[in-house]
Amino acid sequence: MAPVTASRDPLDRLTPFGWRGGVAMALLLSLLSFLLAGYFTVYWRNADMDFMVIYNALAMNDGGAQVFFDHPAYLTILSVKAWFAGLHRFGLLDAWTLSAIPPASDRAAFDAAMISAVHAGRVAALLTAGGILLAFAALARRLVPDWRIAMLAVAAFAFSGGVQMHLRILRSEMIAASFCIVALMLLIVVARHASNVRPFVVGLAAMLCMLGLTNKVHAVLMIAAIPVLVLPFGSAASASVAFWRTRRAWAVVLAATLVATIAASAAWPLLTAGFAPANATAAGLKPLLGRFGLYQLALLGLVAACMLLFARLWRVSAAETLAALLAAVAGAAIGLLALDLSYDLNAVVVVLNPLEKMITYVDAPEAAGSISGAIGLLLSGLLGVVRRYTFVLQPSARPTVFLTWLIIPGIAIALRRGERQVALQATLLMLAAIGIDTLGVRRGLKVEYFVFTDPLIIIAGMILLERLVDVSLSRFAYPVGAALLVLHVGVSQAEPVKMALKRQGPEPICEWSGYYLPRLALPWCAPTSPPRS
């Protein structure tokens, strides 16, 4: 192969704006897309879940207790509540409480108030997505030394189908998935390079995972995968630094024990309430394994086992390992304590029993009740994922699937070259994405769910390209890369444009408005809901 000069390097040509300029361009293009197909879209177009989140925020700003929501979208609702209150404080939003929304009989006033509330909510979604994109960019830069590879990963993430949908609508998945992805990336960074503060980062990751779970119960699947995913990311630089092999380290362990004990004690009332059979049954849940709390203990055991195995494989000292375990307990407990910010027993029960709640969403619950039925559902889901990943057999607004066409051959090339560790890393990331998507098929694997697994695919591609960077010097690298970038951005806009141009009226909202919006009468629905107090 002929040598390629730096100026003609395909990676340089694919990242012409530099690192900061590239991130700024991703944010700018996302803002443009938001304005063209999002902000000005008719206010009731994305009522599921825009109306649901906004209704809860409005009701809470009226001074009432939290109105429970299924997922439970806890942080999303609290953030929108605070956002509305802040805008009102500065005189930018009048419709910030439920009582400030005019009655449905005054259609013009109702529309004006709801438009202002929905627009404010959409701006909150945009700001949330922008902040998460910056966090992803900062961590991607730490994961690979070549900023150009990190920039391509940032572009892939910014214009993934899930992120592009979530930056213009209010849903629970964005915060839940992103907190878990940030946790995973933090753990990969500290797994590769030891430091004095590594146990603290482990605790931070545990807190982020628990906060993600409080926003959407489906995050439990990602949480279960993270300990296994981190295992192969160790290296010679993973061995504990000198501090963790001294006597002073045990003083830190003692302090971590104290913090973990205090945090766990503070969270204990939430745990007892969430696992109480009477409370769970009242919330409509059935124990998955005959008793509530069993698989949660198994998950804790998996986390501990993976941490101990990582310590054994990569020469992490006993003091640091114990400090990290205690930090994980403290972080998870502190994350769980967020439920006390606006206590609701149903939310506590759902967060602590996520799989029982997820079973209620399965499209064929009768099949999920038996082993053979569950296996059939899984195989059907796996076939659905394979069809979607081909794109040809089942197209979707998910441009990240095109990366799999490069990642799978990349894993094969890495194995052929003896790069077994990076091949294992990428394989586990892809298997996690496929597994989570397989379960998501039972809910239709909507574009909003891609935000959970697209980052796993992107990270797999990023670490492969880092080790196989010479492949990018191929004569076909630039045209293939440029075509994929254009295709990626184009396909990511398919669903937002489709929603903006949709002609269907708001009448289907009436099917669920009585349950999710009990005190908000809608002008296009028959007055079947109880009157607002």
Side-chain angles (χ1 to χ4, degrees):
M1 181 170 16
V4 181
T5 62
S7 62
R8 302 298 295 169
D9 189 320
L11 290 180
D12 286 334
R13 298 172 68 188
L14 291 171
T15 55
F17 300 104
W19 172 248
R20 293 182 180 177
V23 173
M25 182 59 66
L27 290 170
L28 180 61
L29 291 177
S30 295
L31 174 61
L32 181 62
S33 173
F34 169 78
L35 293 174
L36 293 178
Y39 182 75
F40 296 106
T41 300
V42 61
Y43 74 91
W44 42 257
R45 175 59 67 210
N46 300 313
D48 179 8
M49 297 171 42
D50 277 359
F51 274 20
M52 301 172 185
V53 171
I54 289 172
Y55 173 84
N56 278 268
L58 294 175
M60 293 177 72
N61 276 335
D62 251 337
Q66 177 183 359
V67 182
F68 171 68
F69 184 65
D70 289 343
H71 295 169
Y74 184 75
L75 298 178
T76 300
I77 292 170
L78 287 184
S79 62
V80 173
K81 169 186 176 292
W83 174 247
F84 281 7
L87 290 177
H88 177 73
R89 191 172 298 113
F90 287 100
L92 299 175
L93 181 65
D94 293 328
W96 71 293
T97 65
L98 197 57
S99 58
I101 304 296
S105 56
D106 189 347
R107 180 62 184 268
F110 178 90
D111 284 347
M114 285 301 293
I115 287 171
S116 63
V118 171
H119 281 180
R122 290 175 179 172
V123 171
L126 175 70
L127 294 174
T128 300
I132 290 169
L133 175 60
L134 291 175
F136 183 91
L139 289 169
R141 191 74 179 85
R142 294 293 303 275
L143 282 179
V144 291
D146 192 331
W147 68 266
R148 300 169 303 173
I149 296 175
M151 186 63 247
L152 291 175
V154 170
F157 178 72
F159 293 97
S160 59
V163 171
Q164 282 297 304
M165 276 302 294
H166 281 283
L167 66 83
R168 68 198 79 223
I169 60 176
L170 291 168
R171 288 189 64 94
S172 56
E173 294 90 353
M174 187 68 182
I175 290 177
S178 298
F179 277 18
C180 291
I181 290 298
V182 167
L184 172 62
M185 297 175 78
L186 282 171
L187 291 173
I188 291 175
V189 169
V190 297
R192 286 177 162 181
H193 303 285
S195 69
N196 289 343
V197 298
R198 181 159 59 181
F200 171 79
V201 176
V202 171
L204 175 60
M207 184 184 71
L208 288 172
C209 286
M210 182 57 73
L211 289 173
L213 186 63
T214 66
N215 213 53
K216 192 172 180 74
V217 293
H218 299 65
V220 69
L221 303 176
M222 182 73 73
I223 293 170
I226 286 176
V228 179
L229 294 177
V230 175
L231 277 175
F233 280 94
S235 67
S238 301
S240 294
V241 296
F243 170 80
W244 289 108
R245 301 187 185 278
T246 65
R247 291 183 179 180
R248 290 179 299 165
W250 291 102
V252 177
V253 172
L254 182 61
T257 302
L258 180 62
V259 172
T261 301
I262 293 173
S265 298
W268 187 252
L270 294 172
L271 293 171
T272 55
F275 290 131
N279 294 337
T281 301
L285 304 182
K286 297 180 180 180
L288 193 63
L289 299 175
R291 290 185 61 183
F292 291 104
L294 290 182
Y295 69 84
Q296 293 88 333
L297 288 175
L299 179 56
L300 292 176
L302 172 67
V303 173
C306 287
M307 292 179 70
L308 293 173
L309 181 57
F310 184 91
R312 179 69 180 271
L313 289 173
W314 306 110
R315 297 183 296 116
V316 180
S317 71
E320 183 180 3
T321 301
L322 185 54
L325 284 166
L326 291 166
V329 171
I334 293 170
L336 184 62
L337 284 172
L339 291 173
D340 277 333
L341 293 174
S342 179
Y343 183 83
D344 181 90
L345 178 58
N346 283 323
V348 174
V349 170
V350 166
V351 167
L352 291 176
N353 300 280
L355 293 185
E356 284 87 349
K357 184 61 182 179
M358 289 175 65
I359 288 294
T360 66
Y361 297 136
V362 174
D363 55 4
E366 69 285 352
S370 65
I371 295 178
S372 60
I375 293 175
L377 287 177
L378 288 175
L379 292 177
S380 173
L382 180 59
L383 178 61
V385 170
V386 172
R387 289 170 58 88
R388 286 168 171 83
Y389 277 28
T390 65
F391 191 80
V392 177
L393 295 177
Q394 188 168 345
S396 68
R398 187 181 193 179
T400 313
V401 298
F402 301 128
L403 293 180
T404 65
W405 300 359
L406 300 178
I407 291 171
I408 294 174
I411 293 173
I413 293 173
L415 285 172
R416 190 175 62 186
R417 294 184 178 184
E419 298 278 1
R420 295 180 181 178
Q421 186 174 3
V422 72
L424 177 60
Q425 294 166 355
T427 298
L428 287 179
L429 287 165
M430 288 300 300
L431 287 177
I434 292 170
I436 295 171
D437 280 343
T438 295
L439 296 175
V441 167
R442 303 309 346 147
R443 288 279 290 162
L445 198 58
K446 296 183 289 188
V447 65
E448 293 87 353
Y449 297 166
F450 298 160
V451 74
F452 277 102
T453 49
D454 277 349
L456 298 177
I457 298 172
I458 293 167
I459 294 171
M462 182 168 49
I463 61 175
L464 276 173
L465 186 55
E466 177 194 7
R467 297 302 294 269
L468 306 177
V469 69
D470 59 297
V471 175
S472 68
L473 301 180
S474 164
R475 60 185 296 187
F476 299 108
Y478 176 72
V480 170
L484 282 177
L485 275 176
V486 172
L487 192 61
H488 196 96
V489 174
V491 172
S492 72
Q493 303 306 301
E495 194 66 19
V497 171
K498 173 185 172 182
M499 293 298 294
L501 299 179
K502 197 173 182 180
R503 296 298 182 185
Q504 186 181 39
E507 290 75 18
I509 301 172
C510 304
E511 298 174 5
W512 48 260
S513 62
Y515 178 77
Y516 288 111
L517 320 173
R519 296 169 53 207
L520 183 65
L522 301 177
W524 53 82
C525 297
T528 56
S529 302
R532 290 161 48 188
S533 57

